[in-house]
Amino acid sequence: MTNSTNPTDPTPTDPSAHRLLLDPALLGDAEPGVDAGAPSGPLLEAVEIHKRYGRNEVLRGVSFEVQRGDVKAVLGPSGSGKSTMLRCLALLEPIDAGEVRLEGRIVGVRPAGSGGRSVRLPEVELAHQRRDIGMVFQRFNLFPHLTALGNVMLGLTEVRGRSKAEATDIAGAMLERVGLGARVRFYPSELSGGQQQRVAIARALVMNPKVMLFDEPTSALDPELVGEVLAVMEELAREGMTMVVVTHEIGFAKRVADRVIMMDEGQIIEDGAPDEFFASPRHERTRRFLEAVN
């Protein structure tokens, strides 16, 4: 993998300077992947999720679960519903039917009574629940008028209620740990695509989420910048972060994922361990997709 070519950027995974991304001394709570007091069972569950835009049913009964500390890779062709599924899991899109559960609790809606329909929560309650779900987008979604430091600080001050001094210290330390200590005062327009995506990852991590969702985080990057982002994601996996990663990076999925799912036409058509999934896929559509991307 190729890291940033800028000599002032340290390699994010340089062992000589290694410090944990999920450091409880920095984030203030137990590490997400190893919280001894957390409930047993799956951390994140999608239960028969349906999502429709007009007459177009984008998700048709999507169900899966992710165990605490596991990485779930999601593959599939464009238009198969992968990004919509992530946005539903992140509580950014309302679902038409089904449930999203975090640590066994239904999130995003107020559960219906007997025979009734669930009601989507007000935005203020959704924002509170989203604190536990980190999301990294294809196109970074950084605020162009804020520096790297300002982008990472924002959620700490506005959502977590940290003081500006605390937020500055935490955001600066996290940017250092993703290899951007020399770039904290740079604006997004002054950063490479790989650097911007690392800022976006840092922004999500400082909120200390229980799960991280990645929507094709390298698809908008030049090939030589992909490695620096994947290096940070692999480090997160080693440290026990629960992750759902929509990706076309087959090598990453083989190395890092605990389970791989294949989506097509709004449904999950295959779900298996990486060795089985890539060596002997059961579904013909999966075989054709893997042949095309390889």
Side-chain angles (χ1 to χ4, degrees):
M1 292 184 294
T2 305
N3 290 290
S4 174
T5 57
N6 192 313
T8 62
D9 275 353
T11 303
T13 54
D14 179 0
S16 66
H18 178 69
R19 300 179 71 185
L20 291 175
L21 294 168
L22 306 181
D23 185 353
L26 175 63
L27 299 176
D29 292 310
E31 299 166 62
V34 294
D35 185 355
S40 59
L43 178 70
L44 180 67
E45 297 172 85
V47 183
E48 283 294 315
I49 291 179
H50 290 259
K51 176 65 179 176
R52 180 185 297 274
Y53 295 106
R55 295 184 178 181
N56 182 22
E57 191 172 17
V58 181
L59 299 177
R60 301 190 292 158
V62 170
S63 294
F64 70 91
E65 61 185 38
V66 189
Q67 300 297 321
R68 188 176 306 276
D70 278 2
V71 177
K72 177 87 77 171
V74 183
L75 306 182
S78 297
S80 60
K82 306 184 301 297
S83 294
T84 299
M85 179 190 72
L86 280 196
R87 290 183 62 83
C88 291
L89 294 176
L91 310 183
L92 297 173
E93 292 278 355
I95 61 177
D96 296 317
E99 295 174 352
V100 178
R101 297 176 186 166
L102 186 67
E103 294 184 323
R105 294 176 291 107
I106 297 173
V107 293
V109 298
R110 189 168 289 114
S114 177
R117 289 178 60 87
S118 299
V119 178
R120 185 166 169 82
L121 293 175
E123 182 58 33
V124 65
E125 294 183 51
L126 287 172
H128 181 79
Q129 292 185 345
R130 288 187 193 114
R131 299 189 307 176
D132 291 328
I133 305 169
M135 178 86 177
V136 176
F137 302 88
Q138 295 180 39
R139 295 286 176 177
F140 325 132
N141 285 21
L142 301 179
F143 291 105
H145 65 289
L146 296 178
T147 63
L149 186 69
N151 270 281
V152 178
M153 286 175 58
L154 191 62
L156 290 168
T157 56
E158 299 300 314
V159 179
R160 288 290 188 188
R162 300 274 193 160
S163 70
K164 185 176 180 180
E166 284 181 309
T168 300
D169 289 344
I170 294 169
M174 185 59 76
L175 286 166
E176 180 75 39
R177 294 176 194 206
V178 298
L180 294 173
R183 294 285 183 270
V184 295
R185 302 294 178 187
F186 283 53
Y187 288 90
S189 61
E190 300 172 312
L191 300 172
S192 71
Q195 291 166 344
Q196 289 184 65
Q197 196 61 291
R198 283 187 278 158
V199 172
I201 293 172
R203 177 180 59 185
L205 289 178
V206 295
M207 301 299 287
N208 200 17
K210 294 176 179 177
V211 59
M212 287 281 288
L213 312 178
F214 292 86
D215 186 9
E216 297 193 39
T218 61
S219 65
L221 302 181
D222 291 335
E224 65 269 21
L225 301 177
V226 168
E228 65 191 55
V229 173
L230 294 182
V232 174
M233 294 172 63
E234 291 191 40
E235 177 59 25
L236 283 174
R238 283 191 291 270
E239 293 183 25
M241 173 58 78
T242 308
M243 298 193 286
V244 180
V245 184
V246 171
T247 184
H248 287 153
E249 298 289 340
I250 301 301
F252 173 85
K254 288 180 177 179
R255 292 192 305 274
V256 179
D258 296 283
R259 302 284 295 184
V260 184
I261 65 177
M262 173 73 183
M263 289 190 67
D264 190 44
E265 297 184 348
Q267 296 179 304
I268 293 174
I269 62 172
E270 190 146 357
D271 183 344
D275 288 349
E276 173 189 338
F277 183 95
F278 291 109
S280 54
R282 298 185 302 274
H283 201 286
E284 172 61 26
R285 182 67 183 94
T286 306
R287 289 193 288 271
R288 287 190 282 113
F289 176 81
L290 292 177
E291 288 172 0
V293 297
N294 284 326

